[in-house]
Amino acid sequence: MLSARIRIAARLVAVVAMAALTAGCFHPMYAEHTDGTPDLREKLMGVEIPPVDKANASREARVGVEIRNALAFKLYGTATGMPPTHRLVLRFSSGRSSLMVSTATGLPTSENYNLDAQFNLIEIASNKSVMSGTTFSRVSYDMPGSYQRFARARAFRDAEDRAAQEVADNIQTRLASFFSAGT
């Protein structure tokens, strides 16, 4: 019985020792640097997001503005004034598909909104692409009643907004990873 307790105590001491050895290796991603190098927040603030190239007053133009605004808030917050070091070029396509159709009216009662985005991060100084990628969002939404046109339109718009936020989250995470790792 005593030897079992000694083994457990020895294992616990080994785990604590290993944790103490690796404790100095952790550095929070968004922490400020004390050595004068730019921190992640400053690097993200140097990303310029030009307007998405879609036809004016189109539904996709509104989604493009939604993605761009969400990304700008995630990257800059409320700060402005940093000179851009990189440009983020966005392209996306969207669509929707019916999931469930009412047998009584023949109208869809539930749909999916699909948003597929491609992004390319270009270093302004060299005009070279330093990172590119794709992301997507699939958002389902219900449409109440066959004669409630406003409710249907609003449900669709809310789905577009949720998908735009999700795509912006994914892109912001990839940009943070790129600037944090340096590759």
Side-chain angles (χ1 to χ4, degrees), residues 2 19 31 39-40 45 68 76 81 97 100 112 121 124-125 135 141 161 168 179:
L2 186 59
D39 59 10
L40 180 60
M45 288 175 67
R68 184 174 181 254
Y76 318 139
S97 56
M100 294 174 24
N112 255 1
L121 185 66
I124 292 177
T135 187
Y141 60 100
D161 293 346
F179 284 119

Side-chain angles (χ1 to χ4, degrees), residues 19-171:
L21 288 174
T22 61
C25 299
F26 177 74
H27 181 75
M29 184 183 270
Y30 287 95
E32 293 183 14
H33 293 239
T34 56
D35 60 357
T37 60
D39 59 10
L40 180 60
R41 194 78 175 147
E42 290 173 354
K43 290 177 183 178
L44 290 174
M45 288 175 67
V47 176
E48 174 188 38
I49 310 168
V52 179
D53 187 25
K54 296 290 181 182
N56 286 342
S58 68
R59 193 162 201 91
E60 283 195 327
R62 193 193 72 75
V63 173
V65 168
E66 191 71 30
I67 294 171
R68 184 174 181 254
N69 287 347
L71 259 174
F73 185 74
K74 289 173 187 317
L75 298 180
Y76 318 139
T78 57
T80 57
M82 289 291 290
T85 58
H86 294 80
R87 180 175 42 255
L88 183 68
V89 178
L90 297 170
R91 288 184 301 280
F92 70 91
S93 61
S94 64
R96 61 186 188 181
S97 56
S98 297
L99 296 176
M100 294 174 24
V101 177
S102 169
T103 56
T105 63
L107 295 172
T109 59
S110 182
E111 288 188 336
N112 255 1
Y113 177 72
N114 310 316
L115 187 59
D116 298 308
Q118 301 87 33
F119 57 94
N120 189 13
L121 185 66
I122 299 169
E123 187 178 41
I124 292 177
S126 64
N127 205 27
K128 291 184 180 177
S129 174
V130 293
M131 182 188 76
S132 63
T134 60
T135 187
F136 66 92
S137 176
R138 305 291 183 258
V139 178
S140 63
Y141 60 100
D142 294 329
M143 298 178 297
S146 60
Y147 298 108
Q148 297 180 13
R149 289 183 293 176
F150 178 76
R152 286 176 172 274
R154 190 65 214 188
F156 180 49
R157 183 176 175 155
D158 288 346
E160 288 175 328
D161 293 346
R162 285 185 289 137
Q165 286 290 330
E166 190 172 322
V167 164
D169 284 341
N170 293 343
I171 293 172

